[in-house]
Each structure stands twice: as C-alpha cells, then as structure tokens.
Amino acid sequence: MLGNALLLAFRELRRNVMRSILTMLGIIIGVASVITLVTLGNGATRQVTQQIASLGSNLMMISVGKRTGPGQMSGAEAFKIADAEALLHEIPELAAVAPVASSATTAIFANENWSTNVTGSTDAFFPVSNQQIAQGRLFTASEARVGAALCIIGQTVATKLFALQNPLGNRIRLQKISCEVIGVLLSKGQSTMGSDQDDLIVIPLRTFQRRIAGNQDVNLIKVSVKDGVDADLVKRDIERIMRTRRHLASNEENNFNVLDMKEITAMLTTTTRTMTGLLSAVGAVSLLVGGIGIMNIMLVSVTERTREIGIRLAIGALEREVLLQFLVEAVVLSSFGGLIGIALALTTAIALSGIMQVPFVFEGGIVAIAFLFSASVGIIFGYFPARKAARLDPIEALRHE
Amino acid sequence: MNAEVNQALHQAAPLLELQQVTKIYGKGDAEMHALAGIDLSIYPGEFVAVMGPSGSGKSTCMNILGCLDTPTSGTYLFQGVDVGALNRNQRALLRRHYLGFVFQGFNLLNRTSALENVELPLIYRGSPTQQRRTMAREALRKVGLSDRANHTPGELSGGQQQRVAIARAIVTGPSLLLADEPTGNLDSARSIEIMDLLTAFNRDQGITVVMVTHEPEMAAYARRIVHFKDGLIEADHVSENALTC
C-alpha cells in the first residue's frame, strides 16, 4: 500500500515539477541554513579549542597583580624563582612549573633587526607552553642554572632575522648580550587572541634576570597540571600557598591572579555554541515557514484536485489510501527538499569554511536530524490537507468543477 | 408479460435489489424526497437503461446503486449484501471489487496517460506491476485504443476519452457497470461507438450494465428500460429492440 502511495505521489509531483520545486524551496533553505550554521559553528568551536590546546594543555598561569576589573590589573610585587620552586615542591598534582620573565627587545643579526619578545624561563617552559623544537636543541638544566648566553627562537624570528640561512650556531644580539641560537621552535601559528605565537626568543631565566632585566623578578608562573586532576582544587592550593608566601592577611585580596586555561576554553566554547544555537534557531524558523508553505500548496492541491479525489474514491480508493497518497506527497516533497538542502548545505559549508578559515567539521548527527525534521515537517503539515482530501464526499467531489 | 420475460431471463438470484428505498435530502420544510420508495431488481447479465426527466430521482438512484450513497430508508442488497449496513470503507472496497463507473464527463485524470488512467483501479486492487500493465493494455485494445496508450486525455477526442473511461471501468472485470449518460457529451457517431462497446462488454463478458440516458436511441440498445418520475419508477419494460435481436 505504501509502495502504491509512493508511486502515485511521484507521478503527481512529476506532473508539477515547477510547483514542486517552489514548494520545496522553503524546506531547502531551512535545512541548508541549519546545517551550514551548525557545521560552521562546530568548526569555529573546534578552532577555538585547538588554539587553546596549543597554548599548553592543562595550563594555568599565575600572574602578578590584583584584578580590579575586566582586563585591569593593579601592580604588585613580582614573584621570585623560589615561589615557582615552592609550588612545584608543595603541590604534587603539578607536572611542571615554569617561572617566566619577559620584555620587548630588539634582536639584531647582521643587518637585520626585529623587535620581539624575549622570554627568560627554565627548561620547564617548553613542555608547559606546549612548545616543541623543530631543529637544534633545548638548553639543559645546568646551562639554565649558570645563565649561559644561549637562545631558542620562534619561526617568525628565524624568518625575519635569518631568512633562508640556517640560524643554528649564529649569534644574535639582545641589548648588551650576544647569544648563540641553539634551537628553533616548531611553528604554532596564531593564538585565539590573534597574536603570533612564533614571535619569541627564549633564553635561560638567569641570563634574562642578570643581563637584560637586571633584577630577580619573575612576572609570570606557568604551571601544567597532571592529567585527571581536579583543576579547581589545584587552583585553590596555588592560591593558598601564594597567599602565605606573599604574607597576605586574611582580609586582604589576592595581589596575584590564577588563570585556568580550561575555564577559558569552556567559556569560549560556550560562547560559540550559543551563537551557533541562536543562528540555527533562525534556520529552524525558516524550516517551519517552509512547512507552512507545503501545507498551503497541499491545501491548494486538494481543492484543485477535488474531482480527481472523487474519481479515486468512486473507483474504490479507501479513505486511508487517499490520506496516505497526499501525506506521502507532502513527505516526498519535504524530504526531497531536505536532501537538496543537505547537499546545498555541505557545499556551502565547505566553501565558507575555506573563506572564513575555520576547519570543516562534518557532523552526521545534525544532517540526520535535519533530514528527519524535514520529513516530519511533511507529515505534520501534510496531514491536515491529506485528511481533508480523504474525507471528501465522492459524489460532491465528482460534481466539483 | 414483463414478469414472464423476466422470469425466463433470470433464473438466478438478482445481482442487486432495491426494496422500498427512499432518499430524503434536507430537513423540515426544506425536505426533498429524491426517492419516494422504489423497488427494483436487476439480474446478472442485464442491460438496463434508466430514463426520466431531471429531478426524477434517477441520479440519486444511480448513486445508491454505485454504493456512493446510502438510502434514507429501505434496503439495497448487492449480491445479497445489505449495502446500507456497510461503512464508508466497506463500500469503497465493494466498488473496488465489483463495480465499474462511466461518467458523462469522462472523469479521467488530467495529464495522465491513457494507460495510467486504466491502471488506476488495478493499483488500488494491488495488482503486481507487470500484470497491471498487461491488463491495462488488453483493456485499451478492447476499446480500440492500443495506439493511444501514452496519450493524455488532453490529446484525445471526446469519444476516445470515453473509450479510455470504459477501459478503466471494465479492466477489473466488474459485476456491474454503471454508466451515467455516457453519450451525453458526444455526437451521434461517437455515441454509437460507445453504445456498441457497452453492448459488446455486456454480451461477451456478461457484465451487467445500468445506464442513465436522456436519448431514446441510446436507451434502445438496452434490453430493459426503467422510467423514473418524481422519485418513483413510472414504468419498467423490455425494450422492443431487445425482443427483436
């Protein structure tokens, strides 16, 4: 019986190709926009997550200063290397701790100069910040301890200063010191905030403090938390230890700030998800409008085909067969529209993800949902006209002009 | 004499039987008695012409005979089954399996080929595709339209359309063929073609035919003529033509 209904439905739609396409348009646009938006949204979410992961997984950053408002910090006493050592010593959940001091400096090699960020840190800096060496080597713990004049440079610095030359073994000048390039870092590209993560020079912290900064300050402590550890607990431990070490009374606020990258990931992911959801809702509304379009056309069709329905009923079609025929027509229309919409959406999403430079993330789930949704739009909005057709009185219907 | 002839013709049980059938439309003052209590028996293999002026109740009677409508009172037995007691779907099934319809206005599906039109009742019967095709082609051949199978009604003349309609009505091999002024929209030459076809199906396949007509020349093809007037059967007699042939 369903096979017959399908046959009849296809015959009917074939007879009205233009109208069928116009009717499907609402569904096509609805399905296409929902899938495109969700796909692009997922791409954006993945991009954000990937970029944050590239900063270092399980990363927390402890910075100096009191947070007085969004993005506003008041000054406070800097950290010392001992603070970082104490954290590593007292919190077993920490995998690595890297004290960091940095400043903007011009690096000079031969005729080239490049204004960049010079970072002084220990060998723990590399695993904590998820930096890997592309060529050469990292500095050893002993080199770091004695404050050797060595440096590891990012890809951007390598390109700007050395162009096509091999930087390894060459010496670059940073203010008053000349240090040998022993390694080049693997490129990490842009960060979420749009800064170039390859534009840096890393030197041993002692070297930085003695020869560039001229003090014992540490501006930032980067820590990486072991896998499977409750980050909130670790964060509380860090705060407790730092408060003690900085002699804060219980009524004083923290004059440092602990930032958990996981929180930021979660926040940014939530933001993109919310945007995706909202935009998809707009798409879903157009699906609904498409459904009403189908109902409208089916109602017109029932009126227009009253005589035909009369003939079918007279010939011996059952009420439910006429109902099924019109319902199947509506469902075929809407699911065909759904299929075209899916094809359109995937093409658009691939094209747009290229233009917007977000990864194309294919999600079968949303495609399936969109298809089922479009089919059910056909059922829901096709039912009323179909029932109207099925309940016609054959005598009246045959008399209809 | 009529009774004798009838008895001679029909030893079998009647195919259909109307007993004191009335049909009343409207209510109260607007009440209209379309049928005022009629009795009619039609036997298998008969060719009956129904005549009468407009509003005489013959169309209402045809609707009831075609199981499209039910009597207000009285009984309609089709092959012994009380149609009045059947629900809408049961009546649809009865039409599907035992009845064929030919209308004045042809009532073919537009933009649908002759073959597909003839296939329609077979689709509802659930015949397999191959069998359906073969049967529909055979029916078209019988009405002489084999070469028009893929033409749509718009591409066919009135006479040809009516022949397609007849093919559609007989393709299932019905027990009863109801024809409502089948020649009403046709010129006399076409009308004769149609009447010849109906006569042939009646004679060769034993399909009982009940035909409404205004034209005495067409009624003359029938072996029995029933006259309606004011919701009653005014006369029911054997056609002179039938006696001679």
Side-chain angles (χ1 to χ4, degrees), chain A residues 304-364:
Chain A
E304 201 183 71
R305 288 155 66 191
T306 300
R307 209 179 164 86
E308 174 200 323
I309 296 162
I311 297 168
R312 290 180 187 279
L313 289 170
I315 279 174
L318 297 177
E319 223 174 282
R320 65 163 183 273
E321 285 169 327
V322 174
L323 181 104
L324 196 66
Q325 182 194 340
F326 278 83
L327 205 52
V328 166
E329 266 178 43
V331 173
V332 165
L333 266 179
S334 66
S335 27
F336 241 68
L339 287 178
I340 296 172
I342 288 169
L344 187 69
L346 294 181
T347 330
T348 320
I350 290 173
L352 279 181
S353 60
I355 294 167
M356 291 164 63
Q357 297 188 322
V358 297
F360 172 74
V361 184
F362 177 79
E363 196 187 314

Side-chain angles (χ1 to χ4, degrees), chain A residues 28 106 111 115 128 149 174 229 271 279-280 285 303 314 330 333 347 350 368:
Chain A
I28 294 175
T106 303
N111 293 333
S115 180
V128 168
L174 298 169
V229 169
T271 312
L279 290 170
S280 309
V285 168
T303 311
L333 266 179
T347 330
I350 290 173

Side-chain angles (χ1 to χ4, degrees), chain A residues 88 95-99 121-130 138-139 222 224:
Chain A
L88 185 61
V97 177
S121 190
T122 61
D123 50 328
F125 176 81
F126 303 98
V128 168
S129 336
N130 201 21
L138 299 176
F139 40 75
K222 287 185 167 187
S224 74

Side-chain angles (χ1 to χ4, degrees), chain B residues 56-241:
Chain B
S56 62
K58 60 187 193 310
S59 292
T60 307
C61 182
M62 284 298 272
N63 287 338
I64 289 173
L65 291 182
C67 305
L68 293 166
D69 208 348
T70 47
T72 307
S73 71
T75 316
Y76 170 33
L77 297 174
F78 182 87
Q79 295 189 339
V81 174
D82 184 2
V83 177
L86 302 179
N87 65 25
R88 200 175 135 119
N89 274 338
Q90 287 169 324
R91 279 185 281 127
L93 288 173
L94 199 149
R95 290 197 294 275
R96 174 186 300 187
H97 290 284
Y98 299 102
L99 302 187
F101 290 90
V102 176
F103 305 93
Q104 178 177 8
F106 320 136
N107 277 342
L108 298 174
L109 298 191
N110 293 327
R111 288 168 294 170
T112 306
S113 74
L115 187 70
E116 284 177 0
N117 263 294
V118 177
E119 277 180 5
L120 200 61
L122 297 172
I123 289 180
Y124 286 116
R125 280 195 170 195
S127 310
T129 314
Q130 263 317 309
Q131 189 193 344
R132 197 171 71 215
R133 278 280 138 85
T134 320
M135 286 172 79
R137 284 194 189 283
E138 175 62 14
L140 278 176
R141 191 192 59 75
K142 282 180 186 162
V143 298
L145 288 175
S146 290
D147 53 337
R148 298 283 193 277
N150 296 318
H151 290 230
T152 62
E155 298 162 348
L156 297 171
S157 71
Q160 288 170 330
Q161 287 187 54
Q162 194 60 301
R163 273 145 67 191
V164 173
I166 291 173
R168 181 182 66 190
I170 56 94
V171 72
T172 54
S175 315
L176 176 64
L177 177 68
L178 293 164
D180 192 358
E181 297 192 45
T183 59
N185 286 5
L186 302 174
D187 62 35
S188 50
R190 275 352 106 209
S191 298
I192 289 166
E193 281 176 22
I194 296 301
M195 291 316 299
D196 284 341
L197 276 173
L198 291 180
T199 314
F201 285 122
N202 172 253
R203 187 183 57 227
D204 303 337
Q205 298 191 5
I207 298 174
T208 309
V209 178
V210 177
M211 174 185 75
V212 170
T213 183
H214 280 300
E215 300 156 272
E217 308 90 74
M218 302 306 142
Y221 281 83
R223 275 177 297 206
R224 177 178 167 195
I225 301 176
V226 177
H227 283 272
F228 274 74
K229 194 177 184 190
D230 300 329
L232 289 166
I233 292 174
E234 186 189 42
D236 180 353
H237 57 83
V238 171
S239 152
E240 299 80 14
N241 194 22

